[in-house]
Amino acid sequence: MSSHRALALLAALSLAPASALAEPEEALMGVTYVFTTVDAYSVVGSSLIVTGTLVGESNVRTINLPGRGGDTTEEASRCDRLALLTMTRPGRFHFSWSKPGLYYSPTCTLTRL
């Protein structure tokens, strides 16, 4: 590999957001996560994995937002519609997610600014 290619690869990796390279962080029970922007999301089982910027922060984070459990994706698919709207209209909505406890269903909210 030429030194120019190695330098270009090193520059590309250093400019990539850390959240793109790291595993998603697990959401904490009882904490409400409010996203000002949603850059990406995916539904994995009953979990919703969201990449975006939280209110009051400037760094992009990827957070695993779990559902109640089991093999159902119903809870996550309801939340993904709200995340999609936040993604397609940045700056117009806040997407929030919270889960009060282990055996509770998560609550997803979309707020127009």
Side-chain angles (χ1 to χ4, degrees), residues 74-110:
E74 183 179 338
E75 297 160 348
S77 65
R78 281 184 278 176
C79 290
D80 82 336
R81 290 184 216 118
L82 302 180
L84 176 63
L85 193 53
T86 306
M87 187 175 178
T88 59
R89 309 265 176 147
R92 297 186 78 187
F93 299 101
H94 278 175
F95 169 72
S96 64
W97 178 96
S98 65
K99 185 173 178 183
L102 185 61
Y103 299 108
Y104 292 92
S105 294
T107 300
C108 297
T109 308
L110 187 68

Side-chain angles (χ1 to χ4, degrees), residues 4-72:
H4 293 289
R5 278 190 172 169
L7 186 58
L9 179 60
L10 181 62
L13 288 175
S14 65
L15 294 176
S19 62
L21 303 174
E23 288 291 316
E25 58 187 275
E26 293 295 320
L28 301 173
M29 298 298 156
V31 174
T32 299
Y33 294 88
V34 181
F35 291 88
T36 57
T37 62
V38 173
D39 299 325
Y41 71 91
S42 60
V43 176
V44 180
S46 63
S47 293
L48 181 67
I49 299 174
V50 178
T51 300
T53 307
L54 293 170
V55 169
E57 295 184 4
S58 58
N59 294 333
V60 175
R61 293 169 61 183
T62 301
I63 302 175
N64 181 9
L65 308 170
R68 185 171 35 185
D71 58 359
T72 179

